[in-house]
Amino acid sequence: MQIKTMSDCEKTHVTSFSAHVWYDEKILKGDTVPGKKDREFDTKAPTCAALIRIASLCNRAVFLANQDDTAILQKNCQGDASESALLKAVEIAWQDEGTNTEEVRKKHKKVIEIPFNSTNKYQVSVHEMPDKEQHLLVMKGAPERILDRCSSILLNGEVIDMPADSEYRAKFNAAYMELGGMGERVLGFCHSFLDTKEYPIGYAFNNEDVNFPLENLTFVGLMAMIDPPRANVPEAVAKCKSAGIKVIMVTGDHPITAAAIAKNVGIISDDSKTVDDVAKESGVPVEEVNPEQVNAAVVHGSKLKEMTAEDLDCLLQNHEEIVFARTSPQQKLIIVEAFQRAGQIVAVTGDGVNDSPALKKADIGIAMGIAGSDVSKEAADMILLDDNFASIVTGVEEGRLIFDNLKKSIAYTLTSNIPEISPFLFFIVLSIPLPLGTVTILFIDLGTDLWPAISLAYEKAESDIMMRMPRDPQKDRLVNERLISVSYGQIGMIQASAGFFVYFVIMAENGFRPSRLIGLRKDWDDMSNQFVEDSYGQQWSFADRKILEYTCHSAFFVSIVIVQWADVIICKTRKLSVFTQGMNNWVLNTGILFETALAAFMCYTPGLDKALRVYPLRIWWWLPALPFSLTIWIYDECRRYLLRKYPGGWVEKETYY
């Protein structure tokens, strides 16, 4: 089985926008439609003004140049999706105030910054206030982390103390859950006006050995962004599931947001329930719900940190649909190792420097071509140029198609080995005149078989290719015993029978019955013996015998070409009927015509009887192989019918290659 872990970088579209804000105990709608001001929040409200200022200053995103005529929500930005969404939201708000984000940033000179990292989960910067000899500290990040650093809240422009048991914390949690439940990515914002005596203008701030307050701040509000999944992601996830591929979501989002997004794209099915869902429906605490009774799980990074390797293995074994939320990049490596312990093949996506260990450890590391760092690209086995999860699924489908077509081409090529080898075995064991010569074998291997074998590489995917379970890499190899059994032991034998049937027909028409041929080789090949008698007492000279033998070589060669018609057609599919697959591979269709024309050319071109010992055939000597060709096609259609009708049955175990 294969496992894919999907992270933030490729599960979403690059265009995000701020959908809601929460301040003064109210959830209000933001601008979401280009050219239409449909927001509900008031930029003149003191708390809202403070929230917009923090989102402007504690933000590294900038608009790209030469977009003056483009609507703000449609502008391209340099920066990650979340900060770009914030930038667009505050830019619209500042325009209503007669300014813009760039001007606001110039007025509030940045003094120092601590960038966001996956450990702290916050970003903080200190700015000089315009027209004031004072510094403003602004912070944004994971809402719960931001709230933990606050001892007060800004409410209607007033700073109010917020103890640990404050009702405001309960209201914060309710708003957070509501916004996260809508699948929106939520960020918390706070600030602090630093004491002018302790932190005067010119103070030497240090972001390594932090010498400014990061606690007892004032909470201002929340901003929630919609980071919509690409339109083709749900279909891609559904394809993965039908193909037996688990898709595991690993994200830094809050579990509520992560679960909503996972349900939206199909990682968690509509009929699947997590322990939270069961607890909510039953009206019991989450702790009382047995995790083994649900098949979906949303695991918080803090809980993952407390798990032993055995606990994690048990989680992966008992749940089909899993989302890891609020995780660190280091925990992604732990998840990869857990799946590999279970014998799974793991493909991991990542874009950051910290993702490199997981990308390196995974069986297939996939880095993001657009958002990915150089380090992640170096560590990865593959680079996704469009950062689109659906492209990975397309790659899986193409990989399966290539593997399928290689198997088909090998099966086709191997089959003709039996009718090529068996004449020499009969020649040695039964001591009969040689039915097939080495020159005609070369015609088959280097001529008639070449085009049809290559044409199978152009065969389109079978309709069930993404509904099969992943192959077992230890057992289902490119060439396995079942492929050998079908090619050599079944189809090859029918082909050899066709060749020998034509051989015996021509010999019998010329007076040599099968019983007369056994043990005749010594006399047949004796150049000094000019009087070999056939079954009717006619005497054959050495030259006449060789003409008859070379004619049989040509006929045996033509019979192989005819049965190979059916062979290449049955090799078009591994399980589906040819009627379902169709005959739309015109490279293959042309290949059948080519090998037939080449066989006719070799037989009937004047002079080749002397140069290559290929003699012309009577037209009816082409016909004896046709029933065998039809038999091959009917036999394999029946075999594939049984494969479809009785999946996992004896026929599949013994003949499905």
Side-chain angles (χ1 to χ4, degrees):
M1 185 176 289
Q2 297 173 321
I3 306 294
K4 290 187 178 298
T5 61
M6 181 169 67
S7 59
D8 299 318
C9 52
E10 82 284 349
K11 77 173 186 287
T12 56
H13 192 47
V14 292
T15 302
S16 307
F17 50 86
S18 180
H20 293 91
V21 297
W22 180 80
Y23 65 88
D24 291 344
E25 303 179 349
K26 294 176 289 185
I27 294 178
L28 301 170
K29 189 172 179 286
D31 291 301
T32 57
V33 180
K36 181 181 178 182
K37 294 182 180 179
D38 56 348
R39 66 173 179 266
E40 297 173 346
F41 59 84
D42 181 10
T43 56
K44 297 186 182 301
T47 309
C48 182
L51 182 61
I52 292 171
R53 180 173 59 195
I54 300 169
S56 303
L57 301 179
C58 196
N59 190 332
R60 288 181 161 189
V62 293
F63 289 115
L64 297 181
N66 303 319
Q67 298 186 92
D68 296 337
D69 298 329
T70 306
I72 292 174
L73 289 177
Q74 295 177 328
K75 285 186 176 182
N76 294 320
C77 303
Q78 180 181 340
D80 68 39
S82 298
E83 292 201 329
S84 298
L86 293 175
L87 176 61
K88 293 173 184 179
V90 298
E91 181 71 7
I92 295 173
W94 287 124
Q95 277 193 353
D96 292 346
E97 300 298 317
T99 185
N100 57 54
T101 308
E102 186 178 359
E103 290 297 322
V104 171
R105 289 174 176 174
K106 287 179 180 178
K107 291 180 180 178
H108 297 77
K109 179 184 174 183
K110 184 186 293 186
V111 179
I112 198 167
E113 179 182 40
I114 299 176
F116 179 89
N117 65 67
S118 57
T119 303
N120 296 331
K121 294 191 182 297
Y122 64 75
Q123 175 187 353
V124 60
S125 59
V126 177
H127 302 260
E128 293 180 359
M129 290 291 292
D131 305 324
K132 289 184 181 179
E133 295 293 313
Q134 189 175 20
H135 289 107
L136 171 65
L137 181 147
V138 292
M139 180 186 288
K140 80 169 190 295
E144 65 272 22
R145 295 289 183 94
I146 298 299
L147 190 70
D148 289 343
R149 295 182 175 276
C150 295
S151 59
S152 59
I153 184 172
L154 188 66
L155 194 62
N156 297 316
E158 295 183 14
V159 177
I160 299 173
D161 288 338
M162 186 173 55
D165 58 350
S166 170
E167 62 175 313
Y168 298 117
R169 292 182 181 270
K171 292 178 180 179
F172 160 87
N173 287 326
Y176 190 9
M177 292 297 179
E178 183 175 346
L179 293 172
M182 291 188 284
E184 297 180 8
R185 179 173 295 171
V186 188
L187 292 175
F189 298 82
C190 65
H191 69 196
S192 177
F193 292 97
L194 301 184
D195 184 86
T196 54
K197 293 181 179 179
E198 192 173 352
Y199 305 98
I201 298 297
Y203 177 79
F205 290 95
N206 190 332
N207 59 3
E208 296 292 337
D209 183 15
V210 179
N211 57 356
F212 51 93
L214 297 177
E215 304 285 346
N216 297 318
L217 310 178
T218 300
F219 188 82
V220 177
L222 302 172
M223 294 186 77
M225 289 144 287
I226 292 179
D227 199 2
R230 297 176 188 264
N232 53 5
V233 168
E235 181 185 355
V237 172
K239 272 189 176 182
C240 281
K241 288 187 173 183
S242 68
I245 301 171
K246 276 187 179 181
V247 181
I248 307 301
M249 181 174 167
V250 183
T251 177
D253 288 337
H254 189 275
I256 296 296
T257 304
I261 294 173
K263 289 178 179 178
N264 189 22
V265 300
I267 294 175
I268 296 180
S269 307
D270 293 335
D271 56 349
S272 297
K273 293 179 180 173
T274 65
V275 289
D276 292 320
D277 296 331
V278 173
K280 188 176 180 181
E281 291 177 2
S282 306
V284 298
V286 173
E287 293 76 16
E288 295 182 13
V289 179
N290 184 358
E292 296 184 3
Q293 293 179 344
V294 295
N295 64 343
V298 180
V299 183
H300 196 288
S302 59
K303 184 178 178 182
L304 178 61
K305 191 182 298 183
E306 298 169 359
M307 284 184 175
T308 64
E310 291 75 16
D311 292 336
L312 183 54
D313 292 343
C314 182
L315 172 75
L316 302 184
Q317 184 178 355
N318 294 326
H319 295 85
E320 287 297 316
E321 300 169 341
I322 307 174
V323 173
F324 293 96
R326 280 288 189 256
T327 54
S328 65
Q330 292 79 7
Q331 288 177 319
K332 185 181 282 191
L333 177 61
I334 296 172
I335 296 167
V336 171
E337 290 173 339
F339 276 116
Q340 289 179 331
R341 280 198 304 273
Q344 311 284 14
I345 295 175
V346 187
V348 173
T349 59
D351 62 346
V353 174
N354 293 332
D355 291 328
S356 299
L359 291 171
K360 199 76 175 175
K361 180 67 176 175
D363 298 282
I364 306 168
I366 306 170
M368 299 298 107
I370 299 173
S373 65
D374 291 337
V375 176
S376 66
K377 292 176 184 177
E378 285 291 329
D381 302 294
M382 183 179 0
I383 297 174
L384 202 60
L385 295 179
D386 59 358
D387 289 11
N388 188 353
F389 176 74
S391 298
I392 302 176
V393 182
T394 302
V396 171
E397 188 170 352
E398 285 296 318
R400 289 189 174 192
L401 173 60
I402 292 169
F403 188 82
D404 262 15
N405 288 350
L406 277 172
K407 267 186 173 286
K408 294 170 185 177
S409 184
I410 292 170
Y412 170 79
T413 305
L414 290 179
T415 304
S416 62
N417 287 349
I418 294 299
E420 290 174 358
I421 295 171
S422 55
F424 292 90
L425 294 177
F426 276 59
F427 172 70
I428 296 169
V429 175
L430 299 181
S431 195
I432 63 175
L434 185 62
L436 182 68
T438 53
V439 173
T440 44
I441 289 176
L442 290 175
F443 291 165
I444 297 166
D445 292 342
L446 302 179
T448 58
D449 269 4
L450 203 58
W451 189 327
I454 294 172
S455 72
L456 287 167
Y458 295 88
E459 190 64 34
K460 68 178 182 180
E462 296 177 48
S463 58
D464 69 336
I465 195 166
M466 288 300 284
M467 291 184 281
R468 305 174 193 162
M469 291 299 102
R471 65 184 180 89
D472 185 340
Q474 302 302 319
K475 297 179 181 178
D476 192 6
R477 299 184 182 276
L478 193 59
V479 178
N480 53 34
E481 67 278 3
R482 296 185 299 279
L483 187 147
I484 298 294
S485 171
V486 172
S487 297
Y488 283 177
Q490 299 171 43
I491 307 303
M493 290 299 180
I494 300 174
Q495 291 193 349
S497 301
F500 280 108
F501 182 67
V502 174
Y503 168 76
F504 287 124
V505 164
I506 294 175
M507 282 293 190
E509 281 191 17
N510 286 274
F512 291 93
R513 293 181 178 179
S515 58
R516 178 70 182 94
L517 294 172
I518 297 174
L520 186 60
R521 173 167 62 93
K522 184 177 180 180
D523 292 336
W524 185 277
D525 291 333
D526 186 355
M527 294 180 63
S528 62
N529 190 343
Q530 300 294 327
F531 304 102
V532 174
E533 291 187 358
D534 62 19
S535 301
Y536 300 99
Q538 300 176 94
Q539 293 182 340
W540 290 72
S541 67
F542 179 79
D544 290 338
R545 295 197 305 269
K546 285 301 173 180
I547 290 173
L548 178 58
E549 179 183 326
Y550 297 148
T551 302
C552 288
H553 291 183
S554 301
F556 208 112
F557 159 64
V558 166
S559 71
I560 293 176
V561 170
I562 291 173
V563 290
Q564 284 288 73
W565 295 346
D567 189 25
V568 75
I569 291 172
I570 66 172
C571 285
K572 283 169 60 69
T573 65
R574 293 173 63 196
K575 186 177 282 189
L576 298 182
S577 168
V578 173
F579 293 107
T580 303
Q581 183 75 355
M583 292 293 293
N584 298 319
N585 182 353
W586 283 100
V587 179
L588 184 145
N589 298 341
T590 309
I592 295 175
L593 296 176
F594 166 78
E595 67 175 339
T596 308
L598 182 59
F601 174 83
M602 301 302 296
C603 289
Y604 298 111
T605 301
L608 289 186
D609 55 336
K610 300 293 189 295
L612 299 175
R613 296 176 178 176
V614 183
Y615 281 73
L617 303 175
R618 296 171 185 173
I619 193 65
W620 56 84
W621 287 345
W622 286 66
L623 303 179
L626 288 175
F628 292 88
S629 188
L630 183 62
T631 300
I632 289 172
W633 178 73
I634 293 173
Y635 171 80
D636 210 68
E637 276 291 317
C638 294
R639 181 185 68 86
R640 282 176 278 137
Y641 170 75
L642 293 174
L643 287 177
R644 298 190 300 273
K645 186 171 178 63
Y646 303 105
W650 178 85
V651 176
E652 180 171 318
K653 291 177 182 176
E654 296 299 327
T655 69
Y656 181 62
Y657 56 85

